[in-house]
Coordinates of all heavy atoms in Angstrom, one line a residue:
N1344 N 6.8 14.1 5.1 CA 7.2 15.3 5.9 C 8.7 15.5 6.0 O 9.3 16.5 6.3 CB 6.6 15.2 7.3 CG 5.2 15.8 7.3 OD1 4.9 16.8 6.6 ND2 4.2 15.1 8.1
L1345 N 9.5 14.4 5.6 CA 10.9 14.5 5.4 C 11.3 15.5 4.3 O 12.3 16.2 4.4 CB 11.6 13.2 5.2 CG 11.6 12.2 6.4 CD1 12.3 10.9 5.9 CD2 12.5 12.8 7.5
F1346 N 10.4 15.6 3.3 CA 10.6 16.5 2.2 C 10.0 17.9 2.5 O 9.1 18.3 1.9 CB 9.9 16.0 0.9 CG 10.5 14.6 0.4 CD1 9.8 13.5 0.5 CD2 11.8 14.7 -0.1 CE1 10.2 12.3 0.0 CE2 12.3 13.4 -0.6 CZ 11.5 12.2 -0.6
G1347 N 10.7 18.5 3.5 CA 10.4 19.9 3.8 C 9.0 20.1 4.4 O 8.3 21.1 4.3
L1348 N 8.5 19.1 5.2 CA 7.2 19.1 6.0 C 6.1 19.4 5.0 O 5.3 20.3 5.2 CB 7.3 20.2 7.0 CG 8.4 20.0 8.1 CD1 8.4 21.2 9.1 CD2 8.2 18.7 8.9
V1349 N 6.0 18.7 4.0 CA 5.0 18.9 2.9 C 3.6 18.8 3.5 O 2.8 19.8 3.2 CB 5.1 17.8 1.8 CG1 4.0 17.9 0.8 CG2 6.5 17.9 1.1
L1350 N 3.3 17.8 4.2 CA 2.0 17.7 4.8 C 1.6 18.8 5.8 O 0.5 19.3 5.9 CB 1.7 16.3 5.3 CG 1.9 15.1 4.3 CD1 1.6 13.8 5.1 CD2 0.9 15.3 3.2
V1351 N 2.6 19.2 6.6 CA 2.4 20.3 7.5 C 2.1 21.6 6.8 O 1.2 22.3 7.1 CB 3.6 20.5 8.5 CG1 3.4 21.5 9.3 CG2 3.8 19.1 9.2
A1352 N 2.8 21.8 5.8 CA 2.6 23.0 4.9 C 1.2 23.0 4.3 O 0.5 24.0 4.3 CB 3.6 23.1 3.8
K1353 N 0.8 21.9 3.7 CA -0.5 21.8 3.2 C -1.6 22.0 4.2 O -2.6 22.7 3.9 CB -0.7 20.4 2.6 CG 0.0 20.1 1.2 CD -0.2 18.9 0.7 CE 0.5 18.6 -0.6 NZ -0.1 19.5 -1.8
L1354 N -1.4 21.5 5.4 CA -2.4 21.7 6.5 C -2.5 23.1 6.8 O -3.6 23.6 7.1 CB -2.0 20.8 7.7 CG -3.0 20.8 8.8 CD1 -4.4 20.4 8.4 CD2 -2.5 20.1 10.1
Q1355 N -1.4 23.8 6.9 CA -1.4 25.3 7.3 C -2.2 26.0 6.3 O -2.9 27.0 6.6 CB 0.0 25.8 7.6 CG 0.7 25.2 8.7 CD -0.1 25.4 10.0 OE1 -0.5 26.4 10.4 NE2 -0.3 24.2 10.7
A1356 N -2.0 25.7 5.0 CA -2.7 26.4 3.9 C -4.1 26.1 4.0 O -5.0 27.0 3.8 CB -2.1 25.9 2.5
E1357 N -4.6 24.9 4.3 CA -6.0 24.5 4.5 C -6.5 25.5 5.6 O -7.7 25.9 5.6 CB -6.1 23.1 4.9 CG -6.0 22.1 3.6 CD -6.3 20.7 4.0 OE1 -6.9 20.6 5.1 OE2 -6.1 19.8 3.2
K1358 N -5.8 25.5 6.7 CA -6.4 26.3 7.8 C -6.6 27.8 7.4 O -7.6 28.4 7.8 CB -5.5 26.2 9.0 CG -5.4 24.9 9.7 CD -4.5 24.7 10.9 CE -4.5 23.4 11.6 NZ -3.5 23.3 12.7
Y1359 N -5.7 28.3 6.6 CA -5.9 29.7 6.2 C -7.0 29.8 5.4 O -7.8 30.8 5.5 CB -4.6 30.1 5.4 CG -4.4 31.5 5.2 CD1 -3.9 32.4 6.1 CD2 -5.1 32.1 4.0 CE1 -3.9 33.8 5.8 CE2 -5.0 33.5 3.7 CZ -4.5 34.4 4.7 OH -4.4 35.6 4.5
I1360 N -7.3 28.9 4.4 CA -8.4 29.0 3.6 C -9.7 29.0 4.4 O -10.6 29.8 4.1 CB -8.4 27.8 2.6 CG1 -7.3 27.9 1.6 CG2 -9.8 27.7 1.8 CD1 -7.1 26.7 0.8
R1361 N -9.7 28.1 5.4 CA -11.0 27.9 6.2 C -11.2 29.2 7.0 O -12.4 29.3 7.4 CB -10.8 26.7 7.0 CG -10.7 25.4 6.1 CD -10.4 24.1 6.9 NE -11.6 23.7 7.6 CZ -11.8 22.4 8.1 NH1 -10.8 21.6 7.9 NH2 -12.9 22.1 8.7
G1362 N -10.2 29.9 7.4 CA -10.4 31.1 8.1 C -10.5 32.4 7.3 O -10.7 33.5 7.8
S1363 N -10.4 32.2 6.0 CA -10.4 33.4 5.1 C -11.8 34.0 4.8 O -11.8 35.2 4.3 CB -9.7 33.1 3.8 OG -10.6 32.2 3.0
G1364 N -12.8 33.3 5.0 CA -14.2 33.8 4.6 C -14.5 33.4 3.2 O -15.6 33.6 2.7
I1365 N -13.5 32.9 2.4 CA -13.8 32.5 1.0 C -14.6 31.2 1.0 O -14.5 30.4 1.8 CB -12.5 32.4 0.2 CG1 -12.7 32.6 -1.3 CG2 -11.8 31.1 0.5 CD1 -11.5 32.8 -2.1

Side-chain angles (χ1 to χ4, degrees):
N1344 277 320
L1345 288 177
F1346 295 111
L1348 299 176
V1349 176
L1350 297 180
V1351 175
K1353 288 180 179 292
L1354 180 62
Q1355 293 307 307
E1357 286 189 14
K1358 289 179 177 179
Y1359 191 88
I1360 293 169
R1361 296 173 77 164
S1363 69
I1365 200 167

